[in-house]
């Protein structure tokens, strides 16, 4: 299995940090984004989640050069080793990235596998919007229902052939891939 590739928004959500932290790391060249197959999206490797989660846990205690060192060393590790990684950032200073980022990395691995297993975009289905594979159920519809108070159990009742993990992946996918569309029209006399 190839290593997961995630958008900056997915990295931020999975590391439970702000998008600003991930964007700042990209600006600082802590890790580099790759272009998706369509060339339209920036994609980051799985170790970006570990770096972002560690940075969040430590606050602002790491310098840019320390972050680059951590990212470089994590990039050289296989994905499974991210959960136990320990990196020497200075003589006698060991950063236990694995203990800081294990949960985030596990969430990212599970999400990436579920996203790839359950979500698809097909030009002839719902205009190419992301849907649960083999259905016409859009991730935005799932997000809308869950954001409005429905539960995953309610969705499972309505769609018993769709597994819980598909709904969970669709919800996070919709959160991290907001729909792009025409802005709402302003009504005459309204101030915006």
């Amino acid at each position: 299995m190839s290593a997961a590739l995630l958008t900056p928004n997915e990295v931020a959500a999975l590391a439970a940090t702000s998008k600003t932290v991930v964007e700042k790391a990209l600006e600082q060249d802590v890790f580099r984004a790759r272009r998706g197959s369509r060339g339209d999206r920036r994609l980051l490797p799985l170790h970006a989640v570990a770096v972002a989660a560690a940075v969040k846990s430590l606050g602002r205690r790491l310098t840019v050069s320390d972050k680059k060192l951590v990212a470089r060393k994590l990039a050289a590790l296989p994905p499974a080793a991210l959960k136990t990684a320990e990196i020497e950032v200075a003589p006698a200073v060991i950063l236990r990235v694995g203990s800081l980022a294990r949960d985030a990395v596990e969430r990212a691995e599970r999400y990436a596998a579920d996203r790839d297993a359950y979500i698809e975009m097909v030009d002839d289905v719902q205009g190419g919007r992301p849907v649960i594979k083999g259905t016409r159920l859009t991730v935005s519809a799932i997000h809308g229902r869950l954001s409005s108070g429905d539960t995953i159990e309610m969705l499972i009742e309505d769609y018993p052939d769709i597994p819980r993990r598909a709904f969970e992946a669709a919800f996070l996918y919709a959160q991290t891939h907001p729909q792009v569309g025409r802005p709402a029209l302003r009504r005459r006399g309204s101030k915006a």
Side-chain angles (χ1 to χ4, degrees):
M1 180 174 100
S2 64
L5 292 174
L6 304 159
T7 66
N9 287 350
E10 289 171 327
V11 169
L14 292 162
T17 192
S18 72
K19 296 174 192 173
T20 307
V21 168
V22 177
E23 291 296 337
K24 188 74 167 173
L26 282 164
E27 285 174 24
Q28 295 170 334
D29 218 15
V30 171
F31 32 75
R32 292 192 179 128
R34 301 176 196 160
R35 290 286 168 195
S37 58
R38 296 182 188 179
D40 59 347
R41 292 190 304 167
R42 299 174 299 161
L43 298 174
L44 300 171
L46 181 62
H47 75 269
V49 173
V51 173
V55 167
K56 179 191 180 249
S57 295
L58 294 173
R60 301 196 183 274
R61 296 182 197 130
L62 288 178
T63 67
V64 173
S65 59
D66 288 341
K67 292 175 193 174
K68 287 181 179 182
L69 172 73
V70 170
R72 191 172 54 251
K73 290 193 175 193
L74 290 177
L77 298 175
L82 296 175
K83 298 174 208 169
T84 58
E86 293 185 355
I87 297 181
E88 186 173 5
V89 292
V93 178
I94 306 288
L95 179 60
R96 295 191 171 153
V97 177
S99 63
L100 295 173
R102 181 178 299 112
D103 291 343
V105 170
E106 287 172 354
R107 270 194 312 275
E109 287 176 321
R110 179 178 170 167
Y111 165 73
D114 290 348
R115 175 197 62 195
D116 296 346
Y118 297 120
I119 298 172
E120 68 180 351
M121 289 181 280
V122 179
D123 289 338
D124 295 340
V125 178
Q126 295 289 16
R129 293 179 16 218
V131 296
I132 299 291
K133 280 187 181 177
T135 74
R136 298 181 55 77
L137 183 59
T138 64
V139 299
S140 60
I142 293 166
H143 184 266
R145 284 193 56 185
L146 292 173
S147 296
S148 297
D150 283 0
T151 63
I152 289 182
E153 286 71 25
M154 294 167 101
L155 290 172
I156 291 170
E157 246 180 65
D158 291 346
Y159 304 98
D161 294 340
I162 299 175
R164 167 181 290 278
R165 289 175 66 163
F167 291 122
E168 292 168 349
F171 183 71
L172 182 58
Y173 186 91
Q175 283 182 312
T176 58
H177 297 79
Q179 286 186 330
V180 178
R182 181 180 294 171
L185 293 175
R186 284 195 271 178
R187 298 183 190 266
R188 284 189 178 175
S190 69
K191 295 179 183 177

